[in-house]
Amino acid sequence: MIKLFYAPHTCALASHIALEEAGADYELALIDFATNGQRKPEYLAINPKGRVPAMLTERGILTETPAILVFIAQSFPQARLAPVEDHFAFARVQAFNSYLCSTVHVAHAHRMRGSRWVNDASAITAMQREVPQRVSECFGLI
């Protein structure tokens, strides 16, 4: 059985959607960010990075959204979540997934969790104000 460790309003949503679309048999495990659940020893034993998502599979634990999405797509090919039979097309999907995680998500994270980078309230406010512009730039909308 697959177990997805997630928190609301995080990129773990992509993995949750993929599991649903694949028709997978899985369970959810909420990591409560409000109580700093991602820093508790029980969760750090699952994902030492203290981030979500993490996914427990029969073969072990996977972390990072692109890896989890690949695993789901390849484990449930009948769902046709990705073109796993076409190596080039699949690589293009991976390029997009990686871009979302490493560029768009990072830009967006400044709005919700600016305190990860600075502890000056005015700097956090400035980052939050810049997020729409930066996210638009990530998608080439500007």
Side-chain angles (χ1 to χ4, degrees), residues 38-104:
Q38 73 275 24
R39 295 286 172 225
K40 292 183 178 173
E42 304 83 36
Y43 186 64
L44 291 174
I46 293 163
N47 186 357
K49 299 171 201 162
R51 302 272 195 251
V52 294
M55 192 169 73
L56 177 63
T57 74
E58 291 179 4
R59 295 189 58 191
I61 296 169
L62 292 171
T63 63
E64 306 303 326
T65 298
I68 291 171
L69 293 177
V70 165
F71 176 83
I72 295 168
Q74 291 178 335
S75 296
F76 302 92
Q78 71 283 0
R80 304 199 48 77
L81 299 178
V84 295
E85 68 289 340
D86 180 336
H87 300 299
F88 184 79
F90 191 67
R92 291 190 70 182
V93 168
Q94 282 305 96
F96 181 71
N97 287 340
S98 294
Y99 178 71
L100 289 176
C101 292
S102 64
T103 303
V104 177

Side-chain angles (χ1 to χ4, degrees), residues 110-111 122-134:
H110 285 77
R111 184 176 63 86
S122 64
I124 292 171
T125 300
M127 282 192 289
Q128 291 170 338
R129 191 175 46 248
E130 287 293 317
V131 166
Q133 172 81 16
R134 302 294 178 220

Side-chain angles (χ1 to χ4, degrees), residues 1-21:
M1 160 99 63
I2 294 171
K3 185 174 188 177
L4 179 66
F5 296 85
Y6 79 102
H9 311 293
T10 68
C11 61
L13 180 60
S15 300
H16 188 184
I17 291 169
L19 287 167
E20 278 293 315
E21 289 294 316

